[in-house]
Amino acid sequence: MEPDDPFHQLVSELDYPMFIVTATAGERSGCLVGFASQASIEPPRFVVLLSKLNHTCGVAARADALAVHFLTRDDRELANLFGEETGDRIDKFARCRWEPGPFGTTVLPDTKGWIAGRVRERVDAGDHVVHLIDTEVTHLNRSGRPLSFQDVRDMKPGHPAS
């Protein structure tokens, strides 16, 4: 997509909240994502889209469950680690605090909070894969203003965005 394309111009000004998604299936992986949202109130479901170029997408394809971490502006360093580095080259989890989570997930306890649940469905969405998650466990650590796309717009991603 060209920067002067009208669609790109419209969506580049949106201010999505940013999340870290972790997947565990024989190995741990995680990445920073902006394509995510609550998908249902009852039952509680959440949807995340992972770029097919991202190391985490391959691990998530084999994982039964995912953990989605909510971030605040105080989590910029962690966002940099999961957004600018790639699991193809480094073990991001060796550089941060993590814990085993429910359903075999990996959770980052120093974030605003997290949800974990089994993947209900995966859908090919083009250059991303949709993961619909049954939100089965929710953990809240602290409050704070969400970290947004505009806050991290200057990052150099570990993989191209698409």
Side-chain angles (χ1 to χ4, degrees):
M1 183 181 320
E2 296 298 318
D4 61 348
D5 174 85
F7 180 76
H8 177 78
Q9 289 176 13
L10 286 170
V11 298
S12 68
E13 293 180 9
L14 295 175
D15 207 12
Y16 304 104
M18 301 303 292
F19 303 88
I20 294 173
V21 175
T22 56
T24 307
E27 63 180 312
R28 287 183 302 272
S29 191
C31 64
L32 185 68
V33 300
F35 296 165
S37 179
Q38 180 180 351
S40 173
I41 297 169
E42 190 55 46
R45 292 193 176 131
F46 205 81
V47 63
V48 295
L49 287 82
L50 300 175
S51 169
K52 292 177 180 177
L53 298 178
N54 195 302
H55 179 263
T56 303
C57 191
V59 177
R62 301 186 312 272
D64 294 327
L66 298 175
V68 181
H69 302 81
F70 291 65
L71 306 174
T72 70
R73 286 183 165 185
D74 293 336
D75 297 317
R76 176 65 194 241
E77 187 175 324
L78 198 58
N80 286 350
L81 173 62
F82 281 87
E84 293 185 324
E85 300 294 342
T86 174
D88 294 321
R89 291 194 277 281
I90 70 160
D91 178 3
K92 298 176 196 180
F93 297 91
R95 299 179 184 197
C96 68
R97 201 162 75 93
W98 63 273
E99 298 172 351
F103 318 112
T105 61
T106 301
V107 297
L108 306 173
D110 296 328
T111 58
K112 178 178 183 173
W114 50 265
I115 60 173
R118 291 176 187 88
V119 177
R120 179 173 200 72
E121 191 170 343
R122 292 177 179 89
V123 177
D124 186 318
D127 56 10
H128 283 66
V129 177
V130 176
H131 296 76
L132 180 63
I133 302 165
D134 285 327
T135 303
E136 299 172 79
V137 179
T138 301
H139 187 81
L140 176 64
N141 293 320
R142 58 182 156 83
S143 63
R145 184 177 182 280
L147 184 72
S148 72
F149 171 71
Q150 297 302 330
D151 295 327
V152 299
R153 190 178 183 131
D154 62 330
M155 278 189 187
K156 305 292 184 248
H159 279 285
S162 62

